[in-house]
Structures are given as C-alpha cells and as structure tokens.
C-alpha cells in the first residue's frame, strides 16, 4: 500500500504490483490505468506507435513495429466481424471499450457504418471524437462515457448489428455477465468479434504476474474458457483464431519503444511530454520479464474470438 501511495503522489499511477483486483475494485483501477495524461501519452507511443490503437499486433513483415502490427490486427478483426455478419453502411456497431478510437475510425473508413463507442475514460473519448472529426466522419462516430461493469444501458435491447472489442474483457469484473449483456444488445443474427490478452491454457496465474502488475485485472481468462463462456452466454458459431505466436514480437516492440533514442526508442520524447521516468522504468522492468517468460514458457495467449447471435445470416 505504501508503494502505491508513493507512486500516486509522484504521478506514477498504474503500478499494481502484487495486486489482483476484486470485481468491485477493477473499474476504478482501469480509470487509473488509462485516464491519467501521462498514461495516454505512454500508450499512444508504446502500443499505438503514434496512432490511436491500444492493443496487440500481428506481424506481417520483419520491419513491422507496433503501429504496423496493430493496424494488421484491426484489418483481421474487422474481417472476422464481417464474416460473422456482413457489415454495411447501414450497420450500427458497438465498439466496447473504444479507447482512443482506432478501431472505430477503421470501421467507418472501411465499411461506412455508424459506430457507438462506449468507454470509461472521458479523456480518451475526447481524443476519439476529435480524431473522428478531423478524419471527416464525426457524424458517424458517437462516443459515450460508461462503465460496462455496471451493465449496458437498459434501452439497448437488440440495438446493434455488431459488437467489436480490443483487449477490453481482461478488465471485466465478471466476464460471464458482460458476455450476456453483449448478447442482449445485439440484434438477432448480429456479429461479435473481440481480441483479448489471456493466460495460455494450463498457465499458472503466478506466471502472469508481470502482466497483472501493470494492468487492472481480475483473474486472467484462458482461450478454452472464453469459448465455453461464449457458448454459455448463448452465442453460436463460436471460433478462436490463435495469434499467440505474435506476442513475444509485440512485447519486444513495446520494450524497444521504452528505450532511449540511442537504442531506437522514444524514452526522451515520452519524458518530455510528461511521462514520469519512474513509470517508464517500471514498464521496462515488466516488459523485459514479459519478453523472457513468453519466449521461454509461452504463458500468455492472445487472439481473435468471433461468434454470432442466433438469427438471420444477412
């Protein structure tokens, strides 16, 4: 507790060393992880590569970094969503935990659909909306402040043709409850696709400590467990594309961005923009461990889940 309070006083929030949060605590800790100004700057550099995506990536070329790999994830995720149910200009898509809005913007630019982003951080939502306006489709992106751990709005029954989400369910207080809410707000025949970071099937929770030390989570999910939860919630045609092989490359890319410019990183730039050096040092330590344990033991899993709600196929 003392370590946490010292970090908060110095502005270095987001240090959850030795903690795994209860369902009641996790929402406030998610706000802490992503809502602070220095955290938004950090994630834009380290997971967005200067863009607005905050999620893991797919590597298609040896020269790919976090930006290119994140965009490759967007492309595959949207393809998965479209295969579950065709996305058209008349579709209404819920971007659950929309963050800075990278997926929302790619949805509109790819399909011309309308998107509603639900996200817990007002500051991130402002970045999302500002970018949508700058891109010329502010009228097609609506951004709402909300905590999905409190349930989705009651008047959203059968509202959306599709739901998409990127690395958000790891922050859910109750994954079964949230999946049931997703089913409720989907129209019959609606498509659902999401990515998440997980423990590998059979991984010991203690082996995932370097992730839970930096992220506001309850117990991490497993791929087989998610597939069963989706079926239990009432989804059909459940499938999982396993992209876990890309994680070690992505962790290493994140670590490189945190390093000094002499080592090809952006450490000085982030500090200049207000990211505390202690915050960066904590991340360097965590990511160094994460790269090593993933390379040697493969304890983390990641990929794309897709499913649909029973109903018409088109």
């Amino acid at each position: 507790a003392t370590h946490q309070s010292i970090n908060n006083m110095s502005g270095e929030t987001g240090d959850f060393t030795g903690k795994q949060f209860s369902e009641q605590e996790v929402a406030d800790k998610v706000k802490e992880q992503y809502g602070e100004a220095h955290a938004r700057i950090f994630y834009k550099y380290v997971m967005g590569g200067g863009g607005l995506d905050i999620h893991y990536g797919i590597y298609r070329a040896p020269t790919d970094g976090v930006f290119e790999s994140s965009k490759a994830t967007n492309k595959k995720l949207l393809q998965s969503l479209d295969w579950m149910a065709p996305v058209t200009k008349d579709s209404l898509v819920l971007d659950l935990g929309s963050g800075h809005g990278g997926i929302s913007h790619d949805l509109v630019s790819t399909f011309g659909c309308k998107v509603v982003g639900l996200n817990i951080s007002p500051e991130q939502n402002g970045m999302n909306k500002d970018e949508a306006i700058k891109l010329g489709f502010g009228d097609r992106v609506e951004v709402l402040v909300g905590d999905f751990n409190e349930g989705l709005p009651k008047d959203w029954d059968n509202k959306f043709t599709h739901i998409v989400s990127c690395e958000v369910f790891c922050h859910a207080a109750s994954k079964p409850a949230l999946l049931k809410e997703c089913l409720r707000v989907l129209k019959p025949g609606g498509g659902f696709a999401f990515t998440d970071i997980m423990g590998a099937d059979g991984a010991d929770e203690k082996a995932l400590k370097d992730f839970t030390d930096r992220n506001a989570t309850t117990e991490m999910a497993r791929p087989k467990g998610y597939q069963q939860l989706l079926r239990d919630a009432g989804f059909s045609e459940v499938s999982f594309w396993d992209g876990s092989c890309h994680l070690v490359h992505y962790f290493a890319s994140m670590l490189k961005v945190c390093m000094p410019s002499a080592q090809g990183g952006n450490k000085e730039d982030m500090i200049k923009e207000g990211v505390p050096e202690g915050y960066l040092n904590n991340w360097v330590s965590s990511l160094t461990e994460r790269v090593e344990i993933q390379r040697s033991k493969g304890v983390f899993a990641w990929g794309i889940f897709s499913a649909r709600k029973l109903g018409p196929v088109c």
Side-chain angles (χ1 to χ4, degrees), residues 2-312:
T2 303
H3 181 57
Q4 182 65 39
S5 63
I6 290 171
N7 277 342
N8 286 343
M9 289 170 62
S10 64
E12 296 172 28
T13 53
D15 183 351
F16 306 129
T17 302
K19 297 182 181 293
Q20 191 174 73
F21 298 105
S22 70
E23 293 184 6
Q24 291 72 34
E25 293 174 309
V26 71
D28 286 340
K29 296 303 178 182
V30 170
K31 290 179 187 176
E32 178 180 317
Q33 182 177 340
Y34 295 107
E36 298 283 346
H38 66 263
R40 296 195 302 277
I41 294 165
F42 172 81
Y43 281 107
K44 187 172 180 179
Y45 272 97
V46 176
M47 295 198 79
L52 296 181
D53 297 300
I54 312 176
H55 56 72
Y56 297 104
I58 297 169
Y59 287 79
R60 304 283 290 169
T63 55
D64 283 354
V66 291
F67 179 84
E68 294 81 8
S69 65
S70 295
K71 286 302 179 186
T73 294
N74 290 5
K75 183 176 181 180
K76 186 166 182 61
L77 179 62
L78 298 192
Q79 288 173 339
S80 298
L81 186 69
D82 185 52
W83 277 110
M84 285 294 100
V87 186
T88 72
K89 63 179 180 59
D90 298 317
S91 298
L92 179 62
V93 183
L94 173 62
D95 184 354
L96 187 64
S98 46
H100 297 164
I103 282 286
S104 294
H105 307 152
D106 282 0
L107 275 162
V108 178
S109 62
T110 302
F111 301 109
C113 57
K114 288 188 176 181
V115 179
V116 175
L118 181 72
N119 193 59
I120 199 168
S121 168
E123 295 82 8
Q124 286 186 330
N125 293 349
M127 294 173 65
N128 181 347
K129 191 64 179 179
D130 289 347
E131 183 69 10
I133 292 170
K134 187 165 76 173
L135 292 170
F137 41 70
D139 61 329
R140 303 198 73 78
V141 176
E142 181 181 6
V143 189
L144 305 174
V145 176
D147 177 6
F148 55 65
N149 286 317
E150 296 177 354
L152 302 179
K154 299 300 182 185
D155 60 352
W156 278 10
D157 286 4
N158 303 314
K159 180 179 178 71
F160 298 99
T161 60
H162 301 78
I163 299 175
V164 70
S165 187
C166 266
E167 270 87 88
V168 168
F169 280 81
C170 58
H171 299 302
S174 170
K175 295 173 180 65
L178 184 55
L179 288 171
K180 289 177 181 176
E181 282 289 272
C182 289
L183 188 78
R184 176 178 68 82
V185 304
L186 267 180
K187 291 179 180 290
F192 182 29
F194 70 94
T195 68
D196 207 9
I197 181 70
M198 302 161 282
D201 288 319
D204 188 299
E205 198 71 14
K206 292 179 181 178
L208 309 174
K209 185 177 181 297
D210 73 274
F211 181 85
T212 56
D213 280 355
R214 301 267 71 81
N215 293 269
T217 62
T218 55
E219 185 175 353
M220 294 186 77
R222 305 295 189 269
K224 289 181 180 177
Y226 259 138
Q227 292 172 79
Q228 189 59 52
L229 288 176
L230 282 160
R231 295 186 183 99
D232 291 346
F235 284 97
S236 67
E237 283 97 271
V238 174
S239 64
F240 173 59
W241 174 80
D242 190 347
S244 303
C245 61
H246 295 275
L247 282 176
V248 69
H249 302 286
Y250 198 88
F251 295 158
S253 295
M254 291 174 69
L255 178 59
K256 182 179 179 180
V257 177
C258 293
M259 303 308 287
S261 57
Q263 299 177 45
N266 297 95
K267 181 178 181 179
E268 296 91 343
D269 292 335
M270 285 190 278
I271 292 174
K272 189 181 298 184
E273 291 188 41
V275 180
E277 187 169 10
Y279 178 92
L280 282 174
N281 290 340
N282 285 341
W283 269 101
V284 167
S285 176
S286 176
L287 287 168
T288 299
E289 293 176 14
R290 200 180 300 182
V291 169
E292 178 55 34
I293 196 169
Q294 186 65 13
R295 182 174 285 134
S296 61
K297 297 184 179 179
V299 299
F300 293 98
W302 174 83
I304 298 174
F305 295 90
S306 53
R308 61 190 301 274
K309 184 174 180 176
L310 288 171

